[in-house]
Amino acid sequence: MQPNKMTLQFFCPRWGQEHETYDAFCRKVKEAGYDGIEAWVPFDAVEREEQAKALAKYNLLLIGQYYQSFEKDFEEHKCNYEKQLRNLLEANPVKIDAQTGKDYFSFQENKALFDLAKGLSTEYNIPIAHETHRNKALFSAHGTKAILEKIPDLPITADFSHWCNVAESLLADQQEALELACTHAIHIHARVGYEEGPQVNDPRSPEWEQQLNAHLQWWDAILKHHQKNGATNLTITPEFGPFPYMPTVPYTREPLSSQWDINVYMMELLRKRYQ
C-alpha cells in the first residue's frame, strides 16, 4: 500500500522514558528514525526550556499531549482543561492529542469541552485531536459513534486498543462505528489491544497475529480515507506503554518485553507497510 504524495511522520512517546534527560531522550529518538516526540509540555520554565532546546538541537517535531482529566467537578475540570491546552499550544506543537472529557460527563458537558478545544485550535491554528481512550468522552466505539453523529467535524486520535478492551472484543459487531471513526482520525496511536486489555505483551509474537491484523486493517482504512481526500500528511505515534500497560513478572516487576524495542518495531512495520 503506497499513498500518493503523502508524508507519514512518526512520533516517539515520552511516556515510559521520563527517566531520561530530554537531551538523551531526543538523541535516542533521532537515532531511531522518528520525526518527533509526543509529550506533555512542563509549566516549569527550566524544564520547558530543556525540552525546547533538545527538540531544536535534534530537529524534532512535537505533538503535545493532554492527559490530566482528573477533576470530577465539571467547572473545575473545564478550567484546568483550558489551562493545560493553552500551555501546550504556547509550545507551538504540530498537533495536540487530548484525552478529553469523562465517560460519566453528560453529552452537553463533553461537548462544551470539545467546543472549547475547537475555539483554541482556531485561535492558535493548531489541530487538536480527541483521543479514543477509556474513562474519557470517547471511551467506547458505540458512544463515540453517537457523539460523531452529533458533532460531524470532531477530529480524533484513533487509539482503538481501548475500545477492544471496553467492548471485550475485536469490534467485529461495531463496523459502522469503526468506519465513521476512521473518517474523523487525524492522528493514530499505534498500540495493539486485545479483548481483555489495551496492550498485548508483544505484537511481534505469533499468538497476537489476529489482534495485530485487526488494528492494521483499521489503520489502513484511516490512511485510505486521507488519500481519498487529498491529505498530504498523517501522524502516527507507536504508543506501547510501560508498566502497568506492559505486563511484568510477579514480584520483580521485570517487563516481559522492551517498550522501546516494540515501539521502534511498530514504526518500522508501518513505515514499510505504507511507504
Side-chain angles (χ1 to χ4, degrees):
M1 162 179 266
Q2 296 182 347
N4 297 324
K5 299 180 180 179
M6 176 177 285
T7 300
L8 296 184
Q9 294 176 317
F10 290 90
F11 291 75
C12 181
R14 174 67 168 168
W15 180 37
Q17 305 297 315
E18 295 92 344
H19 59 285
E20 299 266 17
T21 65
Y22 261 106
D23 187 85
F25 171 61
C26 287
R27 183 177 67 250
K28 282 175 54 179
V29 167
K30 189 69 174 182
E31 290 173 353
Y34 289 98
D35 299 287
I37 69 170
E38 183 167 327
W40 176 67
V41 176
F43 282 90
D44 179 80
V46 174
E47 293 181 42
R48 192 183 187 92
E49 183 66 16
E50 179 190 357
Q51 182 188 69
K53 283 185 176 180
L55 289 169
K57 179 178 178 179
Y58 296 101
N59 192 28
L60 292 170
L61 302 171
L62 171 67
I63 289 180
Q65 187 174 57
Y66 166 81
Y67 58 88
Q68 298 91 343
S69 298
F70 303 139
E71 305 85 1
K72 182 178 180 180
D73 178 80
F74 177 73
E75 291 303 325
E76 182 184 359
H77 189 110
K78 183 180 178 183
C79 180
N80 189 56
Y81 183 66
E82 179 172 2
K83 176 183 176 182
Q84 293 282 351
L85 287 184
R86 285 193 181 277
N87 180 60
L88 293 173
L89 289 162
E90 291 293 337
N92 196 34
V94 297
K95 191 173 291 180
I96 287 176
D97 166 69
Q99 295 180 15
T100 300
K102 283 291 190 181
D103 53 4
Y104 56 77
F105 283 169
S106 69
F107 169 74
Q108 290 300 330
E109 288 172 329
N110 280 322
K111 184 178 184 300
L113 298 175
F114 293 139
D115 289 344
L116 173 58
K118 182 178 180 179
L120 292 174
S121 178
T122 299
E123 179 182 342
Y124 286 86
N125 195 29
I126 294 173
I128 298 176
H130 305 281
E131 187 176 343
T132 62
H133 198 293
R134 288 168 300 151
N135 185 241
K136 315 305 179 186
L138 306 182
F139 72 97
S140 68
H142 70 279
T144 300
K145 180 175 181 288
I147 289 174
L148 294 178
E149 287 172 344
K150 294 177 180 177
I151 312 176
D153 62 346
L154 189 69
I156 71 171
T157 293
D159 191 339
F160 299 142
S161 66
H162 290 284
W163 287 359
C164 294
N165 189 191
V166 169
E168 202 173 21
S169 73
L170 293 180
L171 307 169
D173 56 349
Q174 299 197 61
Q175 287 303 311
E176 289 183 1
L178 281 163
E179 289 171 5
L180 180 60
C182 286
T183 67
H184 283 257
I186 64 169
H187 182 45
I188 295 172
H189 276 179
R191 186 175 62 246
V192 177
Y194 65 111
E195 294 85 340
E196 305 301 335
Q199 178 172 304
V200 300
N201 54 30
D202 194 329
R204 301 167 294 190
S205 184
E207 63 263 32
W208 300 116
E209 182 179 5
Q210 180 184 9
Q211 288 76 12
L212 173 61
N213 285 337
H215 286 73
L216 287 171
Q217 290 173 14
W218 299 329
W219 302 334
D220 289 351
I222 293 170
L223 193 76
K224 288 178 180 177
H225 176 75
H226 276 255
Q227 286 181 268
K228 181 180 178 181
N229 286 275
T232 58
N233 172 269
L234 180 62
T235 55
I236 301 174
T237 299
E239 212 211 13
F240 279 75
F243 176 83
Y245 272 64
M246 175 63 69
T248 58
V249 177
Y251 301 103
T252 67
R253 291 194 175 183
E254 189 71 22
L256 296 185
S257 304
S258 165
Q259 177 204 9
W260 178 267
D261 290 347
I262 287 175
N263 282 332
V264 171
Y265 165 79
M266 290 303 299
M267 173 180 63
E268 293 174 347
L269 173 69
L270 295 178
R271 181 172 281 144
K272 180 179 180 181
R273 184 178 183 88
Y274 299 135
Q275 296 184 329

